[in-house]
Amino acid sequence: MKLVRFGARGSEKPGVIDAQGVVRDLSGVVPDIDARTLSPAALTRLREIDFATLPAAPAGVRLGACVGSIPNLVCIGLNYSDHAAETDTPIPSQPIVFNKHTGAAAGPHDALILAPGSAKLDWEVELAVVIGTPAWHVREEDALRHVAGYCLCNDVSERAWQLEYEGQWTKGKSYYGYAPLGPWLVTADEVPDPQDVDLWLEVNGVRRQSGNTRTQIFGVAHIVSYLSRFMALAPGDVIATGTPPGVGLGHKPPLFLKAGDRVTLGSSLLGEQRQSVVVYDDEAMGARWREARLPQL
């Protein structure tokens, strides 16, 4: 199945893509595409539905992040040897783990906001793993049983904040909207081998990244098992598994995003994302965001 969330930001409804590529409304069946929907039993119940009987979503409706109410957004850094080489970084002997704030999760076609003071905005196409059942101290050979599905993630990064500011990478990874997810969550039964997923990314129509998960240093099963040693992974957790070479930081000289740039990324298995870079405007963006999230007294 290809599961989606559609509608205005903050008010998304659950949906599914039918055989004709139409978004069908699942809101009469499940409350959201989140931890409650991702267990094997819940996914089996969804597969038994005749999607043609569900109402169609409005044509051209916005797609949100394909997973809602994400408990934790974990990332793996430098997980392709050729990407490590382009950034002049030694190949890690263990997975490099960091977090993005869950507020970074965004729809696959939402704008990328060029933040105040940002000068080194970069792209990273990645395979993301969505956990379906709790995983704590799981063996590598059992790890994929805990995966509900997979999706695309653009691990957008502000490199100055990530690498030149003191502290952890989190500051450079967590800005609002810097983790577009989707367009859909492809359930694990439709991804025969997570170590054979093609990934690509273009900026303004120029191919910048081409890769395949077969060249990952640490595969998906290893990553899930490894993380489960240090944290109890929960249904709805999202793990971004690293990016192949071709990021802006790796160019000589480095190449970073600017206002008006268009980013397109995709995979033959996971669909495509499209984003435009826009400049932060406090009145149009910040004020409305704060008003929407302040309690009404």
Side-chain angles (χ1 to χ4, degrees), residues 261-282:
D261 282 347
R262 294 170 292 106
V263 180
T264 307
L265 54 145
S267 164
S268 60
L269 278 171
L270 304 175
E272 295 186 14
Q273 299 186 5
R274 299 180 304 277
Q275 295 124 23
S276 297
V277 181
V278 301
V279 176
Y280 174 83
D281 180 286
D282 192 68

Side-chain angles (χ1 to χ4, degrees), residues 17-285:
I17 306 296
D18 71 12
Q20 286 70 46
V22 175
V23 178
R24 297 285 180 170
D25 188 346
L26 280 172
S27 58
V29 182
V30 293
D32 202 352
I33 304 302
D34 60 11
R36 296 166 289 182
T37 315
L38 297 173
S39 70
L43 292 176
T44 296
R45 286 193 293 271
L46 289 182
R47 290 188 187 95
E48 294 171 349
I49 297 172
D50 180 359
F51 299 145
T53 65
L54 299 172
V61 69
R62 170 189 174 269
L63 295 181
C66 59
V67 184
S69 303
I70 299 169
N72 199 14
L73 182 45
V74 189
C75 301
I76 305 298
L78 301 171
N79 197 28
Y80 291 75
S81 57
D82 34 12
H83 172 52
E86 73 175 350
T87 56
D88 296 321
T89 307
I91 294 175
S93 60
Q94 297 185 45
I96 294 175
V97 181
F98 63 93
N99 279 73
K100 291 174 87 85
H101 189 283
T102 55
H109 312 312
D110 291 348
L112 299 180
I113 301 171
L114 191 63
S118 172
K120 297 182 179 181
L121 188 63
D122 206 348
W123 58 83
E124 294 189 18
V125 59
E126 305 197 7
L127 169 70
V129 178
V130 181
I131 297 297
T133 58
W136 188 34
H137 291 289
V138 300
R139 300 181 303 173
E140 185 168 337
E141 55 266 36
D142 298 327
L144 295 185
R145 299 178 187 173
H146 297 269
V147 175
Y150 304 89
C151 65
L152 283 175
C153 175
N154 188 359
D155 178 17
V156 183
S157 308
E158 212 305 328
R159 298 299 190 190
W161 299 354
Q162 176 191 358
L163 302 173
E164 299 170 21
Y165 285 38
E166 293 183 357
Q168 303 297 316
W169 286 4
T170 305
K171 292 190 293 291
K173 297 283 189 172
S174 294
Y175 193 74
Y176 186 71
Y178 280 13
L181 298 173
W184 36 68
L185 167 64
V186 181
T187 52
D189 59 301
E190 296 192 7
V191 180
D193 182 0
Q195 299 314 135
D196 188 16
V197 177
D198 64 298
L199 300 167
W200 58 267
L201 182 143
E202 296 178 352
V203 179
N204 298 326
V206 178
R207 184 63 58 97
R208 297 298 184 185
Q209 289 187 275
S210 293
N212 189 289
T213 56
R214 71 171 66 96
T215 66
Q216 286 184 332
I217 299 169
F218 307 105
V220 170
H222 182 86
I223 289 169
V224 172
S225 175
Y226 181 86
L227 290 175
S228 79
R229 293 165 49 191
F230 305 101
M231 58 190 78
L233 296 171
D237 280 351
V238 176
I239 305 167
T241 61
T243 195
V247 301
L249 181 66
H251 285 75
K252 299 188 180 353
L255 180 65
F256 297 117
L257 295 170
K258 59 186 184 302
D261 282 347
R262 294 170 292 106
V263 180
T264 307
L265 54 145
S267 164
S268 60
L269 278 171
L270 304 175
E272 295 186 14
Q273 299 186 5
R274 299 180 304 277
Q275 295 124 23
S276 297
V277 181
V278 301
V279 176
Y280 174 83
D281 180 286
D282 192 68
E283 182 176 351
M285 300 175 187

